[in-house]
Amino acid sequence: MNVLILGSGGREHAFAWKIAKSSSCNNLFIAPGNAGTAEVGNNVEIDVNDFESIKKFTLSKGIEMVVVGPEDPLVNGIYDFFQEDEELQNISLIGPSKDGARLEGSKEFAKEFMIRHAIPTAKYQAFTKKNLEEGYEFLKSLDAPYVLKADGLAAGKGVLILDNLQEAKTELKAMVADAKFGNASSTVVIEEFLSGIELSVFVLTDGDSYKILPSAKDYKRIGEGDTGLNTGGMGAISPVPFADRFYIEKVEREIVKPTVEGLKKDGITYKGFIFIGLINVKGQPKVIEYNVRMGDPETEVVIPRIKSDLLNLLKGIDDGTFSEKDLNINDQAATTVMLVSKGYPQSYEKGEAISGIEDVTESIVFHAGTKNENEQLRTSGGRVIALTSFGENIEKALAKSFASAEKISFRGKYYRKDIGFDL
Ligand code: AMP
Ligand code: GLY
């Protein structure tokens, strides 16, 4: 099979690394990819939102499956673009339809979906500048901290958690009336603050049946002890100790099943990954968000734990055999530690020379933001390299990831030395 993966991060390197191992993989392309994906496939210089160029490339190379990494092209309707095109409609595209992608593209849509299908979530209301005063009243009815979410995509920055009522009112106004996050915040979801440990559950579905992939926990803040600014994710572990079999069965019963059935009832086509962000509130899992893709860096621990042939599983999604396929998981724990550029998630330098990768023997090196310039590997993003390791438990796996992190050098390298500290 000829496969095209869209995206350029650690997630896409992990997908490419896994798919390249499949006996059914013939030619593998990654658009635009990074220096890591170029080691397991062929990079193509195409933007993930340039559907016409993707079409041309897909047809010219006889691509039979497109795996979409990031949310943007999904929210922009790449699934529908393929379905509506006679030449593309028989090509398997792994990802939801534009309607399905609204689970991530609109927080209000996601909340309405959860309420409609009785899926546990924080209580909420949505506001625009037309009912700003009601928004203030709703804030008053809640206890601090206050959670304000821009309805649309805001590059991971659209969620504000504020301790003070006056500040919450000021921010609400800035979001709906003064376009703090542009169009994305013309509607704002205000919701009850949920206190508990976070957990990410990943589901792969063909729209009918589903498989629950390994769970993971991501460490989002830049600073140790979960302090400082939010990032895309500084490290991840899998499995999550408190999410034992009984807990995951509860998540399946109360959240996964109603989600997949809800999509079906609502007539929404969904053939891809669902990333369910949960908070465990005193043993009760509640959904804080849906993403319509895999997480990054969660993919760097989830995918390596899958023993089954991923491409074979994905093939089943379109040929009607998905429910018959096995999903075998490695019992070992996996951890990943992200090396980032100095200054990230704010401004940072690019183009720093990277060395030492060849000395890493105990971890898988997933590239997140790298590129090769005249045979020299250089940084090209805020998140640079994810180091994934296995161990009989999380501590042992982490020890390997940290040891590998010391072996790689680039100017301004930073990583959190406390991934897994809270477990
Ligand atoms: P998101 O950008 O949707 O991933 O949200 C960013 C972070 O905000 C989440 O990872 C949670 O840590 C936090 N968060 C979102 N909603 C809530 C909530 N209702 N209660 C507590 N924390 C929340
Ligand atoms: N690591 C969080 C995300 O991918 O959204």
Side-chain angles (χ1 to χ4, degrees), residues 134-149:
E134 288 167 40
Y136 294 156
E137 288 305 310
F138 185 63
L139 280 172
K140 261 200 262 174
S141 78
L142 297 172
D143 294 322
Y146 304 93
V147 182
L148 270 52
K149 300 186 171 183

Side-chain angles (χ1 to χ4, degrees), residues 8-11 13 34-37 233-234 296-297 300 336-344 348-355 357 364-371 377-387 408-415:
S8 62
R11 168 182 49 212
H13 188 187
N34 60 38
T37 61
M234 297 294 292
D296 194 352
E300 290 94 301
T336 202
V337 170
M338 189 67 82
L339 308 183
V340 306
S341 301
K342 183 177 174 209
Y344 174 78
Y348 52 83
E349 298 287 330
K350 291 184 189 176
E352 302 292 356
I354 303 170
S355 62
I357 288 190
I364 311 168
V365 178
F366 288 125
H367 293 230
T370 64
K371 67 173 178 196
L377 185 66
R378 294 189 182 274
T379 65
S380 70
R383 294 193 292 174
V384 179
I385 281 171
L387 296 157
I408 295 180
S409 309
F410 56 87
R411 199 162 63 180
K413 175 186 83 176
Y414 168 77
Y415 64 96

Side-chain angles (χ1 to χ4, degrees), residues 302-378:
V302 171
I303 293 290
R305 287 191 64 220
I306 297 178
K307 290 198 285 192
S308 315
D309 180 329
L310 179 65
L311 184 54
N312 184 38
L313 270 171
L314 295 176
K315 257 180 11 191
I317 287 188
D318 255 347
D319 70 12
T321 61
F322 181 65
S323 64
E324 300 158 18
K325 309 256 185 199
D326 288 330
L327 171 67
N328 295 311
I329 305 298
N330 186 336
D331 289 335
Q332 287 201 308
T335 60
T336 202
V337 170
M338 189 67 82
L339 308 183
V340 306
S341 301
K342 183 177 174 209
Y344 174 78
Q346 289 172 296
S347 63
Y348 52 83
E349 298 287 330
K350 291 184 189 176
E352 302 292 356
I354 303 170
S355 62
I357 288 190
E358 58 291 349
D359 300 329
V360 175
T361 50
E362 287 200 305
S363 307
I364 311 168
V365 178
F366 288 125
H367 293 230
T370 64
K371 67 173 178 196
N372 260 316
E373 265 176 19
N374 310 322
E375 311 279 298
Q376 171 64 57
L377 185 66
R378 294 189 182 274

Side-chain angles (χ1 to χ4, degrees), residues 250-263:
K250 187 176 170 70
V251 171
E252 174 169 15
R253 209 169 42 242
E254 297 181 10
I255 295 167
V256 176
K257 222 163 172 281
T259 298
V260 175
E261 283 171 3
L263 288 165

